[in-house]
Amino acid sequence: MDEATRTLIDALVADARESTADLARQTGLDEAAVEEALADLEESGALRGYTAIVDWDELDREHVSAIVEVNVELDRETDYDDVAHRIAESSAVDSLRLMSGDYDFAVNVSGSSMGDVSRFVSEEVAPLPAVTKTVTHYVMETYKERGMTFTDGDDDDRLSVTP
């Protein structure tokens, strides 16, 4: 990967809403070259999409997120990819990763209520034959998401103490 493409990717990660003109200025390419590079990255699958980072607490809409640990026991006919494809089919799944350590998969899930998330785990994940254990961790507060800090730093409600 050349330096211009690396700079282009870094700029998109920082702000995917940049115009091609802004991206051209940042990379030193002309706009046509930026558009071609983006098309190449999309076609190759290196660039999978453009997404918004939402602070759900700022919206008038219920939203619950959880991280679900999933342990599996594989057999001759089932491998990690098989289990992952079954779990990933659900629209409740935001991300799914094979992990090292104490559990096999980390599943980031969201729904409009804790019941939605619980139903996903109990009806779509736990019944899979390879699944031996699930542990659901509900997100209480998000402070940072994909590099974006959610706190504004002005929420210090502590009282000042003077001698």
Side-chain angles (χ1 to χ4, degrees), residues 135-161:
V135 178
T136 304
H137 305 275
Y138 288 95
V139 175
M140 304 302 290
E141 185 74 34
T142 299
Y143 296 101
K144 189 172 185 175
E145 181 78 29
R146 292 194 322 257
M148 182 69 62
T149 303
F150 282 28
T151 58
D152 59 13
D154 295 336
D155 291 336
D156 190 355
D157 292 334
R158 296 178 291 175
L159 298 174
S160 8
V161 177

Side-chain angles (χ1 to χ4, degrees), residues 63-132:
H63 185 84
V64 175
S65 296
I67 300 168
V68 182
E69 299 175 5
V70 179
N71 283 28
V72 299
E73 187 172 313
L74 303 176
D75 58 30
R76 290 182 182 184
E77 292 83 38
T78 308
D79 62 16
Y80 287 118
D81 289 342
D82 296 329
V83 177
H85 288 296
R86 293 283 306 274
I87 294 171
E89 290 174 349
S90 173
S91 62
V93 176
D94 297 323
S95 67
L96 171 63
R97 294 179 172 88
L98 180 63
M99 306 297 292
S100 64
D102 293 336
Y103 53 95
D104 298 306
F105 290 103
V107 188
N108 288 37
V109 182
S110 60
S112 59
S113 69
M114 290 176 79
D116 284 349
V117 172
S118 295
R119 272 187 293 285
F120 163 74
V121 174
S122 65
E123 295 174 8
E124 297 185 47
V125 177
L128 295 175
V131 172
T132 59

Side-chain angles (χ1 to χ4, degrees), residues 3-5 7-9 11-12 15 17-38:
E3 189 61 35
T5 303
T7 303
L8 176 61
I9 292 170
L12 288 171
D15 184 358
R17 294 182 59 194
E18 295 272 6
S19 68
T20 53
D22 289 337
L23 293 170
R25 275 193 298 280
Q26 292 177 49
T27 59
L29 301 171
D30 61 36
E31 287 186 53
V34 167
E35 289 173 2
E36 182 180 335
L38 289 173

